[in-house]
C-alpha cells in the first residue's frame, strides 16, 4: 500500500494524528497496518450473513461522571445500531443518486452484561478524575494517569467518554494498534443525544464516525487536505477535496467530481450530526475485512454476555435502559 503524506485538517477528529504517532512509536504497528491493508485488498467480496453483536464498555471519566447518565449512554448505543445497520431515519438527506449505495454493516452493539471476570455489569464504568481535560495521548485509557484501564480489546469495544482538550470531538485507534489503548474516545458534549451532548454534535454521529475508524475506515477525502490525490481506499465514495463542515447543500463540487459532488452526508466526513446519514456498500466491505481479520475474535468470543459474537439473522436492536454501574 502506498499512503500519501498526512495533511492536517481542523481537529474535529484526531484519529489520523494518533495514527501517525503510533507509526512512529509503537513497535510493529506499521507492519500490522500494511498486513491489514493487503488482506483487505485481496479479500474476496463476500457479504457476511450473520449479524455481529459486539459488547461495549463505556468508561465515563469525568470530575463528575454521573453527569453522563444511563439514558445518554443507551441513546448512543441506539444511534450506533441504526447507523451501522443502514436504518437511519434521515434517508431523505441522501441524494437519490446515492441511496442505492447505503450499506448494512450487519453489526450491532450492546452494553456488556459480564465483565472480564464473568461478573454482572451494566457495561458502564464511572471513574471520577482530577484531570480537567484529556489530550490525545491516550492518558484517559489508564487509571495511572487519571483515566480508566481498557477491558480486553479482543472481547469488548472500549469507549471512553471524557472532556477532551483543544476542541477535539473524538479519536479512535485503527485495528492494528496496541490492545491496551484500543477503542474510541469521545468528548462528553458530542456523545449521545441527551444529557451533556450539545448541538450541533448531539446526534451521536461523532461516535459513529470514530467507531468507523475503529473498523478501519478512513476519512472520505483521504487525508491529503484539499489536494484531491488522497484516498479512503473505497471505490464507491467520490474523490473529495478536504472535509466538509457545517451543513452543506447538494451538490457541493470539489476535485472535478460533478455533477453530484461530495458525499458530504457520509459518516466519515466532518459535517454536523444532522447532515450525516450513510455508510456505503464499499465502506461496509472494508469494515467486514477488519472483522474477518484483526477484529475476528469479537465475532466468536462469548464475552460480554451469552449473546455476544454472531447471530444467524437480526435487525437493528435498541439498547434498552442501562442500570447504574461503576
Amino acid at each position: 500500500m502506498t499512503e500519501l503524506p498526512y495533511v492536517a485538517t481542523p481537529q474535529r477528529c484526531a484519529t489520523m494524528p494518533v495514527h501517525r504517532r503510533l507509526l512512529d512509536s509503537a513497535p510493529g504497528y506499521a507492519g500490522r497496518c500494511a498486513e491489514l491493508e493487503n488482506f483487505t485488498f485481496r479479500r474476496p467480496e463476500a457479504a457476511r450473513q450473520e449479524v455481529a453483536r459486539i459488547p461495549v464498555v463505556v468508561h465515563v471519566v469525568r470530575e463528575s461522571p454521573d453527569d453522563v447518565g444511563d439514558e445518554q449512554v443507551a441513546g448512543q448505543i441506539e444511534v450506533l445500531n441504526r447507523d451501522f445497520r443502514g436504518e437511519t431515519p434521515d434517508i431523505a438527506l441522501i441524494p437519490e443518486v446515492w441511496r442505492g449505495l447505503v450499506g448494512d454493516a450487519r453489526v450491532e452493539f450492546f452494553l456488556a452484561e459480564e465483565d472480564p471476570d464473568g461478573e454482572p455489569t451494566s457495561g458502564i464504568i464511572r471513574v471520577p478524575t482530577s484531570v480537567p481535560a484529556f489530550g490525545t495521548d491516550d492518558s484517559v485509557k489508564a487509571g495511572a494517569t487519571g483515566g480508566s484501564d481498557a477491558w480486553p480489546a479482543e472481547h469488548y469495544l472500549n469507549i471512553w467518554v471524557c472532556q477532551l482538550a483543544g476542541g477535539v470531538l473524538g479519536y479512535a485507534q485503527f485495528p492494528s494498534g496496541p490492545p491496551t489503548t484500543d477503542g474510541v474516545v469521545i468528548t462528553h458534549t458530542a456523545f449521545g443525544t441527551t444529557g451533556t451532548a450539545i448541538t450541533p454534535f448531539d446526534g451521536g454521529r461523532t461516535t459513529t464516525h470514530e467507531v468507523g475508524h475503529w473498523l478501519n475506515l478512513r476519512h472520505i477525502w483521504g487525508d491529503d487536505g484539499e489536494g484531491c490525490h488522497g484516498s479512503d481506499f473505497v471505490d464507491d465514495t467520490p474523490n473529495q477535496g478536504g472535509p466538509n463542515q457545517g451543513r452543506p447543500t447538494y451538490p457541493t463540487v470539489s476535485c472535478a467530481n460533478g455533477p453530484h459532488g461530495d458525499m458530504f452526508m457520509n459518516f466519515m466526513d466532518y459535517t454536523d450530526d444532522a447532515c450525516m446519514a450513510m455508510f456505503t456498500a464499499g465502506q461496509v466491505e472494508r469494515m467486514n475485512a477488519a472483522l474477518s481479520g484483526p477484529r475476528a475474535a469479537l465475532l466468536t468470543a462469548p464475552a460480554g454476555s451469552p449473546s455476544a459474537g454472531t447471530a444467524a439473522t437480526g435487525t437493528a436492536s435498541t439498547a434498552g435502559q442501562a442500570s447504574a454501574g461503576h
Side-chain angles (χ1 to χ4, degrees):
M1 176 190 67
T2 299
E3 187 167 332
L4 292 169
Y6 166 70
V7 177
T9 55
Q11 287 289 289
R12 173 175 176 174
C13 166
T15 294
M16 289 306 291
V18 168
H19 171 60
R20 301 300 299 184
R21 169 170 59 79
L22 292 175
L23 286 173
D24 292 338
S25 64
Y29 177 70
R32 291 191 298 273
C33 286
E35 289 174 3
L36 175 54
E37 291 306 325
N38 288 335
F39 172 76
T40 301
F41 284 125
R42 70 173 181 262
R43 179 177 176 268
E45 292 188 10
R48 173 172 41 81
Q49 297 303 309
E50 299 84 2
V51 176
R53 302 197 70 248
I54 297 178
V56 177
V57 54
V58 177
H59 308 253
V60 183
V61 184
R62 305 242 304 128
E63 292 179 289
S64 300
D66 289 333
D67 289 351
V68 178
D70 294 352
E71 181 181 359
Q72 186 171 348
V73 175
Q76 179 62 77
I77 300 297
E78 291 174 2
V79 171
L80 287 175
N81 285 336
R82 288 197 304 267
D83 289 348
F84 279 85
R85 292 306 309 271
E87 297 184 350
T88 173
D90 303 318
I91 190 71
L93 297 175
I94 305 171
E96 188 68 35
V97 67
W98 289 322
R99 288 186 190 177
L101 295 178
V102 174
D104 175 3
R106 302 191 71 76
V107 175
E108 296 177 1
F109 304 88
F110 67 98
L111 289 170
E113 299 168 4
E114 293 181 2
D115 70 12
D117 296 323
E119 298 297 322
T121 180
S122 68
I124 305 171
I125 303 171
R126 291 185 170 89
V127 178
T129 185
S130 60
V131 179
F134 289 91
T136 60
D137 59 355
D138 291 332
S139 57
V140 73
K141 301 175 182 179
T145 49
S148 178
D149 293 338
W151 286 13
E154 68 271 24
H155 299 316
Y156 302 90
L157 164 57
N158 288 273
I159 299 177
W160 288 269
V161 180
C162 63
Q163 176 65 58
L164 283 171
V168 174
L169 299 188
Y171 69 94
Q173 185 170 289
F174 289 124
S176 303
T180 55
T181 53
D182 190 67
V184 306
V185 182
I186 312 293
T187 200
H188 69 100
T189 54
F191 180 78
T193 61
T194 59
T196 64
I198 298 175
T199 188
F201 305 119
D202 57 348
R205 267 53 192 276
T206 296
T207 306
T208 297
H209 178 104
E210 299 303 342
V211 174
H213 283 313
W214 180 78
L215 289 172
N216 206 35
L217 293 186
R218 297 298 184 97
H219 290 133
I220 194 170
W221 65 93
D223 290 293
D224 68 335
E226 299 179 0
C228 296
H229 300 296
S231 176
D232 63 354
F233 311 119
V234 175
D235 290 337
D236 60 3
T237 56
N239 191 19
Q240 178 173 313
N244 287 286
Q245 311 270 356
R247 299 190 179 194
T249 57
Y250 172 81
T252 296
V253 176
S254 66
C255 298
N257 62 9
H260 303 299
D262 297 352
M263 191 184 279
F264 58 79
M265 68 296 307
N266 194 283
F267 292 126
M268 301 314 293
D269 207 338
Y270 271 9
T271 53
D272 291 352
D273 283 16
C275 289
M276 292 184 166
M278 67 182 293
F279 292 117
T280 68
Q283 288 173 315
V284 165
E285 284 301 318
R286 189 169 170 84
M287 290 189 280
N288 281 339
L291 286 166
S292 297
R295 300 219 181 276
L298 287 161
L299 274 64
T300 58
S305 84
S307 57
T310 59
T313 59
T315 57
S317 61
T318 57
Q321 293 295 320
S323 60
H326 300 272

